[in-house]
Amino acid sequence: MISRPLRDPASVRRILSRISFVLGLTVLSAAAQAAPSGTLVFCSEGSPAGFDPGQHTTSTDFDASTNTVYNELVQFRRGTLDLEPALATSWDVSADQRTYTFHLRKGVKFQTTAWFKPTREFNADDVLFTFNRMLHADDPFRKAYPTSFPYFSDLGFAKNIESIDRVDETTVRFRLKEPDVIFVRNLAMSFASILSAEYAAKLTEAHREADINQLPVGTGPFAFRSYQKDALIRYDANPDYWRPDDVKLAHLVFSITPDPAARIQKLANGECQVSVFPRPADLDVVRRNPSLTLVSGVGFNVGFVAYNTQHAPLNKLDVRRALDMAIDKPAIIQAVFSGNATVATNPMPPAQWSYDKELKDAPHDPAKAKALLAQAGFPDGFDLTLWAMPVQRPYNPNAHLMAQLIQQDWAKIGVRAKIVSYEWGEYNRRAKQGGEHDAILYGWSGDNGDPDNWLGTLLGCAAVGGSNVSKWCDPAFNGLIEKARETSDTNERTRLYEQAQVIFKQQVPYTPVAHSIVSLPASKRVSGLVFSPLGSHRFDGVSLN
C-alpha cells in the first residue's frame, strides 16, 4: 500500500495532536493499571537470623532477603530450574571452565531507604565488594565486621576463586584455580545476592558495619522498611525496580507465625493471603474452604537424621548402621506426612539427574540393629541427644513428632535419645558451627538443580563447619565430588555421582527419611503465585484481585 503525504501543515498538526492525546490517555491508562497496589500478607514460619544472604543458609532467611530485597548476577526463572539473566545480562566462559566474565546490566538502581540514598547506579564495584568480603579474610569491611559465609565455603569458593577483577564499570571477571562447570548455577543461589559497595562504605564510615545484616539495601522488587522480631517484616514496592512489570504489590508483610494451626486460621480469617508449610492434616481444611486454594508440586527435597561423625560412638560405622536400620520410615511417612511423601533412600530426590536407582535401603530390622550395637561394643545401648527443628520445613512438617517416633525406634535397641530443640536461628548456628549435637533432624530443598548441591554442599569436606551437619569428610567420596565439578560431560558426571552415592550408602553419615510433596495454601484473591521446585517463596509477579 502506498501512503500519500499530507500536504496541509495544519491538518498534520491536528492529526498529530489527536494522536498525542490518544497516546497520552493510553500511557496514563497503562500506568494506572501497572501501578503496584494492595498489601499482601505472607504468614511465614519463623524469624530470619538476618538480612545479609551471604551470612545465612536457610529458606527462612532467603525468603526475607534474597527473594524480596536483592538480586543475583543470574537467577532461576520463577517456578523453574532454568537460568536467566539478572544483574548480569550475559556471561562468557573460557574453554577450560576457569574464567567467567559477566557483563552487567546498565541503569539498575539500588533502593532508597530511610537510612541510605544511593548516588550512583549498580556497577562492577558492587560485585567486587559482595564477593571479596567473602573471599578475603583481610577485606577491610570483613575485618571491621568479622563474620562467616557458610555457603561460600561449603561450595569451595573460598579455596577455588583465585581472583575477581574489575575489567571496567560494567564487566567483572572471576578466575578460578580449578575448573568448575556449575559455577554460574551456584551464582544464581541466594548467598550470591549483590550488595551495595556505596552503602557498605557509608556503614564503615559510621562504624556501623553490622547494620548490613539488619538494614538491607538491594536492587530487588521490594524495599525493606522495618522488622519486629517474631512478629512482622514490612516491605514496600521498589519504585525503581529494573523489571517494573514484576512489581504488582504496593506493600508486602511477613506475619511471622511459628504455629502452623495459627497460620491456617489466619489464612481462613483473611489475616494473611499466603501461608507457608501447612501440616498434612490442614490440607483438607484448605480444600474445603471455597475462598482458599493450594499451589502444590512434588518437592525437590530430602528430610534426614544426621549423625555427628565426630562424636563417639557415632564415629563408629556399625553404630550408625544400627541407628539407620532401627528407624521405621514407612511409619514416619504415615504419621508425620499423612502419606504426602515418599520414603527416601538416597541423599537426593529421584527427580535429580544422576540419582542412582539401584541403591536400596538396609531393611528395617531392630534385632539386627541391636546385634550391630553389641558388635560395636554397646550391648546395653547408650545415651545421645536428638535435635528436632522448632519450625516446619518443606521436608519435615513436624520435626518434634518425627523425633518422638525415632526416639521410640531407637529405644527398642537400647539407645536412649534425649530430644533437644532451640530457636531456629540458634538451632542452625549451633548445628553448623558448634557441632554440639549427636543426631539432628535436618533436610534440604535443592538450590540449583545440580547433583553437587546435595552431595558437595551437604557432604563435602569443605562443608564441614557449614551445611555438612554430619561433620563427615570421606576422602574417596570428596575426590569424586571434586572431579565431577571439573568435567562438563554429563555422562561422566553421572558416573562419578553414582559412585559417590554408593559410598554414602555404605558409610551412613545420615539416614534419608522422606521426600515430601509441597503445598502452599493461598487465598483465591492471589494471582501469579508459582510453585518453586527450589522451595523459595517469591512475590515478584504476584498480585491481589
Side-chain angles (χ1 to χ4, degrees):
M1 182 177 72
I2 299 174
S3 298
R4 291 191 177 146
L6 290 165
R7 301 181 185 278
D8 178 7
S11 299
V12 173
R13 286 195 297 272
R14 283 195 298 273
I15 291 172
L16 288 176
S17 177
R18 291 191 196 106
I19 292 172
S20 297
F21 178 72
V22 172
L23 286 175
L25 287 178
T26 302
V27 169
L28 287 171
S29 176
Q33 291 175 359
S37 64
T39 298
L40 186 145
V41 180
F42 172 52
C43 276
S44 61
E45 81 287 5
S47 295
F51 297 88
D52 174 2
Q55 297 185 43
H56 308 295
T57 60
T58 77
S59 62
T60 303
D61 304 307
F62 295 151
D63 282 345
S65 57
T66 298
N67 298 327
T68 50
V69 177
Y70 296 104
N71 295 116
E72 305 94 337
L73 291 175
V74 296
Q75 66 186 19
F76 294 103
R77 187 176 291 109
R78 282 200 319 137
T80 76
L81 295 174
D82 301 328
L83 287 179
E84 65 177 2
L87 294 183
T89 56
S90 63
W91 50 92
D92 307 315
V93 185
S94 64
D96 64 0
Q97 306 280 344
R98 290 179 54 198
T99 303
Y100 291 79
T101 305
F102 292 87
H103 306 282
L104 307 182
R105 190 176 299 276
K106 299 176 182 178
V108 175
K109 297 179 180 179
F110 280 96
Q111 298 148 357
T112 296
T113 68
W115 49 90
F116 176 68
K117 183 175 182 178
T119 64
R120 64 163 177 82
E121 294 178 343
F122 158 73
N123 65 29
D125 293 336
D126 303 304
V127 180
L128 263 64
F129 165 73
T130 296
F131 291 101
N132 277 330
R133 72 192 179 116
M134 294 192 268
L135 181 62
H136 300 299
D138 60 352
D139 177 85
F141 190 88
R142 182 167 170 182
K143 286 184 73 174
Y145 173 46
T147 188
S148 62
F149 300 98
Y151 240 134
F152 192 80
S153 297
D154 292 353
L155 294 170
F157 278 15
K159 295 181 179 179
N160 197 32
I161 294 178
E162 185 173 8
S163 65
I164 309 168
D165 304 312
R166 184 188 197 275
V167 179
D168 57 40
E169 192 170 79
T170 59
T171 312
V172 173
R173 181 176 296 131
F174 290 78
R175 298 184 187 276
L176 309 182
K177 298 173 185 176
E178 301 293 339
D180 185 351
V181 298
I182 53 175
F183 186 70
V184 176
R185 295 193 75 84
N186 283 335
L187 288 186
M189 292 162 60
S190 295
F191 83 95
S193 298
I194 303 301
L195 280 63
S196 165
E198 184 185 16
Y199 177 47
K202 179 183 176 182
L203 293 178
T204 299
E205 184 179 355
H207 304 291
R208 297 181 60 88
E209 289 86 356
D211 281 1
I212 207 163
N213 192 36
Q214 300 301 324
L215 297 172
V217 173
T219 59
F222 297 96
F224 175 89
R225 287 295 174 254
S226 64
Y227 172 41
Q228 184 179 349
K229 185 174 171 60
D230 299 329
L232 295 172
I233 314 173
R234 297 185 182 275
Y235 308 87
D236 292 338
N238 176 8
D240 298 319
Y241 191 46
W242 53 275
R243 292 175 69 167
D245 290 345
D246 284 356
V247 185
K248 302 179 184 299
L249 297 167
H251 308 286
L252 175 64
V253 177
F254 280 32
S255 177
I256 300 167
T257 313
D259 182 1
R263 290 199 298 270
I264 290 297
Q265 188 63 46
K266 284 184 176 182
L267 185 68
N269 293 342
E271 297 174 54
C272 61
Q273 289 74 50
V274 180
S275 179
V276 74
F277 307 144
R279 298 172 302 180
D282 292 328
L283 299 180
D284 283 340
V285 174
V286 175
R287 293 187 184 104
R288 291 194 300 267
N289 190 322
S291 66
L292 303 180
T293 187
L294 285 171
V295 178
S296 301
V298 177
F300 197 53
N301 60 45
V302 60
F304 56 82
V305 52
Y307 309 116
N308 189 337
T309 59
Q310 294 182 3
H311 279 195
L314 300 174
N315 57 338
K316 292 179 176 288
L317 176 57
D318 279 346
V319 169
R320 299 197 299 273
R321 290 176 60 204
L323 295 174
D324 176 81
M325 294 177 68
I327 296 174
D328 187 347
K329 295 183 187 180
I332 290 174
I333 297 297
Q334 290 305 314
V336 176
F337 297 88
S338 297
N340 292 290
T342 58
V343 168
T345 300
N346 295 22
M348 59 174 70
Q352 176 65 69
W353 64 267
S354 82
Y355 179 91
D356 189 344
K357 299 177 182 178
E358 303 302 317
L359 286 182
K360 305 296 180 186
D361 258 346
H364 171 57
D365 190 336
K368 187 172 181 181
K370 192 170 179 62
L372 279 173
L373 280 187
Q375 181 177 307
F378 300 94
D380 300 320
F382 57 89
D383 297 316
L384 85 170
T385 58
L386 171 60
W387 288 25
M389 297 171 294
V391 296
Q392 295 74 41
R393 311 308 297 158
Y395 46 77
N396 193 335
N398 191 336
H400 190 73
L401 176 57
M402 185 183 290
Q404 289 177 322
L405 294 172
I406 293 173
Q407 181 187 50
Q408 293 169 15
D409 288 339
W410 285 349
K412 295 173 184 176
I413 63 170
V415 174
R416 299 165 293 277
K418 177 184 177 182
I419 297 174
V420 175
S421 192
Y422 296 94
E423 180 272 331
W424 184 223
E426 186 69 6
Y427 187 93
N428 275 290
R429 187 191 68 78
R430 288 173 177 251
K432 293 172 182 178
Q433 298 175 19
E436 308 162 40
H437 58 281
D438 293 322
I440 183 170
L441 290 181
Y442 218 72
W444 201 253
S445 292
D447 284 310
N448 67 6
D450 194 272
D452 184 83
N453 191 232
W454 310 92
L455 303 180
T457 307
L458 296 181
L459 294 161
C461 293
V464 173
S467 296
N468 184 344
V469 294
S470 295
K471 315 298 179 186
W472 180 67
C473 177
D474 183 279
F477 177 94
N478 204 66
L480 292 167
I481 299 307
E482 291 184 345
K483 189 174 181 181
R485 287 175 180 160
E486 297 177 3
T487 177
S488 57
D489 184 294
T490 302
N491 290 331
E492 176 62 11
R493 293 187 76 205
T494 296
R495 186 183 68 82
L496 294 168
Y497 289 135
E498 287 176 346
Q499 291 179 28
Q501 288 170 78
V502 170
I503 294 174
F504 165 87
K505 207 64 184 169
Q506 292 170 344
Q507 295 298 313
V508 202
Y510 71 69
T511 294
V513 177
H515 306 296
S516 74
I517 296 170
V518 179
S519 295
L520 190 63
S523 165
K524 287 184 177 178
R525 293 179 55 213
V526 178
S527 297
L529 190 65
V530 177
F531 170 79
S532 170
L534 300 171
S536 59
H537 302 98
R538 287 172 54 174
F539 296 98
D540 50 320
V542 174
S543 62
L544 276 177
N545 301 323

